[in-house]
Amino acid sequence: VLAWGNESRGDDGLGPAFLARAEALPDPAGVESTFVTDFQLQPEHAVDLDGRDLVLFVDASRTALPPYAFRRVEPARTATFTTHGVAPGAVLAAFEATFDRAPPPAFELAIRGERFDLGEPLGERARLCLEEALAFFAALRGNASADGWQGMSRGT
């Protein structure tokens, strides 16, 4: 699980809040979870995917329908001229370029947020969306396979 966001920017902290709560949950039998958090995704996160069977990217979203969207992510080579992070597909493409093989199956859990101002706390609506995303995560871990997760995909 790779989660990112800035806890100083209101609902942008949904990724780290998700990770803190999810990390405290016990793994189901046969599942071994690894958790990584950061302020933003970088191509270097491709190294975190090495040796993994399945990847979940978690972030706040201004556009996902509440409470969250869940979809498969494919490698995407995108040109960017910014140092402000990359999309999950770009991390997968960096994995391909670095390891010369396909990345593990990857999915994105985008939790709906509305308040992203500096100094704002996590909003009440975002907290409700977070609770639903955590319940969904429990279901994902109970069906931890690419085919199982693909069947659970919804919205963008």
Side-chain angles (χ1 to χ4, degrees):
V1 178
L2 283 100
W4 68 99
N6 185 339
E7 294 171 285
S8 297
R9 291 196 167 271
D11 296 351
D12 194 45
L14 279 164
F18 175 92
L19 188 126
R21 297 271 305 279
E23 196 170 27
L25 300 173
D27 282 329
V31 174
E32 184 178 330
S33 302
T34 302
F35 297 90
V36 176
T37 189
D38 211 331
F39 280 112
Q40 60 194 11
L41 284 181
Q42 296 294 332
E44 292 82 358
H45 285 111
V47 175
D48 295 317
L49 309 184
D50 192 28
R52 308 294 174 221
D53 297 320
L54 198 54
V55 177
L56 180 64
F57 293 99
V58 182
D59 190 22
S61 171
R62 293 175 192 259
T63 59
L65 293 176
Y68 57 81
F70 179 70
R71 67 178 184 90
R72 182 133 190 191
V73 180
E74 298 295 338
R77 289 172 181 35
T78 56
T80 181
F81 300 109
T82 179
T83 59
H84 295 291
V86 298
V91 174
L92 298 178
F95 181 95
E96 285 182 331
T98 302
F99 296 102
D100 197 30
R101 66 180 190 273
F107 293 79
E108 179 180 27
L109 180 60
I111 306 170
R112 176 60 186 230
E114 297 175 355
R115 300 170 32 174
F116 292 84
D117 291 332
L118 185 62
E120 290 287 328
L122 202 59
E124 187 55 36
R125 283 193 222 170
R127 288 180 193 279
L128 295 172
C129 292
L130 173 61
E131 292 303 321
E132 291 198 44
L134 286 161
F136 182 69
F137 177 65
L140 288 175
R141 291 188 357 164
N143 192 8
S145 71
D147 288 342
W149 285 16
Q150 184 66 44
M152 299 170 79
S153 294
R154 61 178 240 186
T156 55

